[in-house]
Amino acid sequence: MQYEEINEKTIKISLTFQDLVDHDVKLSDFFTNQSMVENLFYELVEELGLEERFSSGLLTFQIQPFPKGVNIIVTEENIDIDPTTLPDDPEEFEQLMTDFFGRVEDLKQNGGASPDKNTTENKETKVKSKPDPDFVFYSVEFDNMTQLLAAVKNVKIEAEESELYGYKDKFYLIILDNQRAKGKTEVSAMRARMLEYGQETAKSRETLQEYGELLITTRALEVLSKI
């Protein structure tokens, strides 16, 4: 696990897949389990000694998977009101407070959180909800190596990452694709072409990690294309 300063208000925390395993977290949790993301963040704040680094304001998050794990981009938002500039007019004061709490609510709805880890009510970490995730994992099952190699040689996919597992005399190709860059249509089309040579499978990556045999740990598509 590493973190780096992007600027005065932003840091990037990089977690490998092993770091996620150590924290009992799956990549899919970042898109489906808000409570897990909240708890993980406060664990990381403590482990990295960042309590004073984020001592005021609200925090927003962006989750960015990469081939070896996931980056958490944390940005501190300043929403403080200078007491010396408060208006004397009651109507102006009421409007100022309305605007202030509106900004707080906007931040919370778009990924904001209070950094006070000692107050449960302030822990309102949220991951920005999106209709479709930026990155998607999918698995294709093949009955034999001939099917697998035919798929790899005939369907050219520039994936973010790929792995190959063996389980009960069958092969499972796991692909992490960039839906944000390519678009949902292209990713779905490439997956459909893969399924012309293989078949749908209900076995998740987590199941294969636990019960299957990892045959190619990284860049499986590239490795197989050279056979």
Side-chain angles (χ1 to χ4, degrees):
M1 176 174 60
Q2 298 179 332
Y3 90 93
E4 62 176 297
E5 302 273 349
I6 304 299
N7 55 47
E8 184 180 4
K9 296 295 182 182
T10 305
I11 67 169
K12 178 173 72 174
I13 302 175
S14 299
L15 301 170
T16 65
F17 287 123
Q18 185 58 55
D19 291 326
L20 297 181
V21 170
D22 292 342
H23 286 85
D24 196 25
V25 172
K26 301 186 294 292
L27 184 60
S28 59
D29 288 332
F30 284 94
F31 304 103
T32 61
N33 192 335
Q34 176 182 318
S35 176
M36 180 284 303
V37 176
E38 175 185 343
N39 293 333
L40 174 63
F41 171 71
Y42 287 102
E43 288 179 11
L44 298 178
V45 167
E46 185 173 355
E47 290 180 24
L48 295 171
L50 300 178
E51 290 90 344
E52 296 183 359
R53 174 64 172 78
F54 295 117
S55 57
S56 63
L58 296 181
L59 304 180
T60 58
F61 299 83
Q62 288 184 337
I63 308 302
Q64 298 180 347
F66 67 99
K68 294 184 179 180
V70 63
N71 291 321
I72 305 177
I73 310 299
V74 187
T75 301
E76 185 176 23
E77 304 285 350
N78 287 332
I79 58 170
D80 298 330
I81 293 179
D82 184 353
T84 63
T85 64
L86 293 178
D88 295 327
D89 184 272
E91 292 185 0
E92 293 182 6
F93 179 81
E94 181 179 356
Q95 184 61 52
L96 176 66
M97 297 309 296
T98 299
D99 294 342
F100 172 78
F101 287 113
R103 290 165 61 194
V104 172
E105 188 61 30
D106 288 343
L107 283 170
K108 289 180 179 179
Q109 291 179 358
N110 291 280
S114 166
D116 182 2
K117 67 185 185 68
N118 294 317
T119 305
T120 302
E121 290 77 10
N122 286 335
K123 292 183 179 180
E124 296 178 7
T125 309
K126 296 182 183 295
V127 177
K128 295 181 180 180
S129 59
K130 298 179 181 180
D132 298 303
D134 290 342
F135 295 81
V136 291
F137 271 114
Y138 60 89
S139 173
V140 183
E141 177 184 301
F142 298 92
D143 291 331
N144 51 57
M145 183 59 72
T146 301
Q147 282 186 350
L148 172 60
L149 292 178
V152 172
K153 292 181 181 298
N154 288 287
V155 184
K156 304 300 183 182
I157 299 178
E158 294 182 2
E160 294 294 313
E161 186 55 280
S162 52
E163 304 165 336
L164 181 65
Y165 290 84
Y167 180 65
K168 292 186 177 180
D169 298 326
K170 293 189 177 183
F171 297 96
Y172 295 86
L173 188 61
I174 305 293
I175 296 174
L176 174 64
D177 217 340
N178 190 332
Q179 192 165 252
R180 178 181 58 189
K182 298 180 179 180
K184 185 176 181 179
T185 300
E186 181 177 344
V187 171
S188 297
M190 291 297 99
R191 180 173 179 273
R193 289 202 59 198
M194 273 286 178
L195 291 173
E196 294 176 6
Y197 300 88
Q199 51 267 347
E200 295 268 10
T201 175
K203 293 180 179 60
S204 66
R205 180 170 180 264
E206 290 75 20
T207 298
L208 293 170
Q209 285 177 322
E210 184 171 358
Y211 299 106
E213 180 183 0
L214 182 58
L215 303 176
I216 302 178
T217 60
T218 185
R219 303 296 181 189
L221 288 170
E222 296 179 17
V223 174
L224 291 168
S225 68
K226 297 176 183 179
I227 296 178

